[in-house]
Amino acid sequence: MQHITRLAVLLKLLLAKCLHHRWLLKAVKFQLKQHHLECLDFGFLRHSCASGVIRTRVGFSGGTKPNPTYRSLGDHTETTEVVYDPTKTNYSNLLSMFWKNHDSTQKCTRQYMSAVFYHNEEQKRLAMESLENAQKTLTKPVQTQILKGSTFYEAEDYHQKYLLQQHPWLMNALDIEPGPELNHSYVATRLNGYIGGYGTLANFEAELPSLHLDDKIADYIRRAMQNGSRVNC
């Protein structure tokens, strides 16, 4: 897609302990880092159904170990890659969401640390400026690191769109299986955020025509959002 830019950002959410986001900022990618990969969706759910976000995948980045896995992470950080449409959102908007949705003053290990990974000088400048602005609003030092981006390694299938996969009826109704199709699906990305309890019913209804869902699936999503379907690890 000609007009689609990817921004890689690492965002980490360490539930009840270290709310951290690690961002890998790249002209083509956006990644989020979180606590453990079974719950990796939690940190980026606000982004997966945010305006302009097209696709998300969870994985690992920032280290030197080739081909890391969940059980053999090496010196990498758990991450989420987010692809966005720059005609609907921009890098600065995503940075703003990053700072608002985690505690950047918490200290964590490299696996869970808060960081921004840039892939060009413009991204580096914007990331540094956003860090400086965030620090002005805080009394404790910001622990977020601004680092040069590196390779993103996709995590195992069972980690992808984790909260969506907790709804087997919905997965079956969407006729989508874990694997490349799920990992790269626009609809699965958007629904993963909504089904996780993020986004609003008004936004879902406005977006519904573009998702091409049948009435039963749409009603299922509405009920899940109204009932509060967030899954705890």
Side-chain angles (χ1 to χ4, degrees), residues 31-49:
Q31 294 171 349
L32 319 177
K33 151 175 192 303
Q34 297 174 308
H35 182 28
H36 36 101
L37 278 175
E38 288 86 354
C39 298
L40 196 64
D41 282 326
F42 288 154
F44 71 79
L45 281 173
R46 290 179 178 85
H47 302 82
S48 64
C49 59

Side-chain angles (χ1 to χ4, degrees), residues 64-135:
T64 58
K65 178 182 173 65
N67 303 312
T69 65
Y70 178 57
R71 299 299 177 188
S72 183
L73 193 62
D75 55 349
H76 287 277
T77 298
E78 298 171 4
T79 72
T80 302
E81 177 189 86
V82 178
V83 178
Y84 75 96
D85 181 347
T87 68
K88 296 181 179 179
T89 190
N90 58 49
Y91 189 77
S92 294
N93 287 341
L94 295 173
L95 280 172
S96 179
M97 293 181 69
F98 165 66
W99 294 110
K100 289 178 180 177
N101 289 291
H102 83 295
D103 182 356
S104 60
T105 66
Q106 293 287 324
K107 291 184 178 180
C108 288
T109 63
R110 184 171 181 84
Q111 183 177 1
Y112 305 131
M113 72 178 183
S114 174
V116 173
F117 289 78
Y118 63 87
H119 289 258
N120 58 49
E121 289 304 307
E122 176 66 6
Q123 292 177 2
K124 180 180 180 180
R125 181 184 66 80
L126 291 172
M128 291 296 297
E129 288 179 358
S130 69
L131 185 152
E132 291 167 4
N133 290 333
Q135 184 62 80

